[in-house]
Amino acid sequence: QKEVEQDPGPLSVPEGAIVSLNCTYSNSAFQYFMWYRQYSRKGPELLMYTYSSGNKEDGRFTAQVDKSSKYISLFIRDSQPSDSATYLCATTTQGGSEKLVFGKGTKLTVNP
Amino acid sequence: NAGVMQNPRHLVRRRGQEARLRCSPMKGHSHVYWYRQLPEEGLKFMVYLQKENIIDESGMPKERFSAEFPKEGPSILRIQQVVRGDSAAYFCASSPRRDRGATEAFFGQGTRLTVV
């Protein structure tokens, strides 16, 4: 079993739709959870960073963590064509941990 | 403040040659991480370095791969005697603080290595 599972998609939605991206993880020691956005041929860009269960909102983006079910989500409201990218979930055991464990990424296309 | 700088952006090597990938961290960052992204795969941790020290190299292949972060100059990821399976995108990330570690890491644009 992989440490972090993420549906690779691809996911295609119309502009304005609400997008839900999800990951599951297996290691209870994971404490910090991140979502990265990666445009084609570019480096990953940190979108959201959360610790512990609950929700965190930033503009059109909401990150949700449910530690009891080892499930993390990213919601994008009012999706835009510029949101078209690959979204990577990542996690690590502690704030000072040196390594991030990534999901494979979900490729999202928002159609105008 | 320039971001994490990687060069070259694209590198083509013949089988058996050496590949050298460079990474200059963001100003003020003293922690560097290297990740590899194979086609259709997520990023995989390779190595974590501080100036003049390798802290964690648990993700590095046992042979042909090495990394350094000297007191002066960029971090270098070196791949000797490259094989076709080494073809991938190699990303460098840097962070400012040990206590926040990889959670505050910022990534460069990557070096895309192609072995022919």
Side-chain angles (χ1 to χ4, degrees), chain A:
Chain A
Q1 181 186 14
K2 288 186 180 296
E3 287 192 285
V4 179
E5 299 272 9
Q6 183 175 8
D7 186 341
L11 184 61
S12 182
V13 302
E15 183 175 354
I18 296 174
V19 177
S20 172
L21 304 166
N22 309 292
C23 290
T24 58
Y25 63 94
S26 58
N27 189 347
S28 299
F30 289 143
Q31 299 289 330
Y32 293 81
F33 305 91
M34 286 132 282
W35 284 96
Y36 285 83
R37 177 174 61 195
Q38 186 176 23
Y39 291 113
S40 181
R41 317 293 281 180
K42 300 291 186 183
E45 171 194 7
L46 181 63
L47 273 180
M48 302 283 285
Y49 159 58
T50 57
Y51 169 71
S52 76
S53 288
N55 292 355
K56 183 175 182 179
E57 191 172 315
D58 184 1
R60 296 183 296 109
F61 297 89
T62 299
Q64 193 172 77
V65 176
D66 182 349
K67 284 190 171 181
S68 63
S69 59
K70 299 188 179 69
Y71 195 83
I72 55 177
S73 302
L74 179 70
F75 298 97
I76 307 174
R77 290 184 301 280
D78 188 24
S79 56
Q80 304 294 310
S82 59
D83 294 329
S84 298
T86 296
Y87 290 80
L88 303 161
C89 61
T91 180
T92 187
T93 53
Q94 298 176 26
S97 175
E98 293 81 29
K99 62 180 82 170
L100 295 173
V101 179
F102 282 87
K104 284 190 175 184
T106 299
K107 186 172 183 179
L108 170 68
T109 301
V110 181
N111 301 299

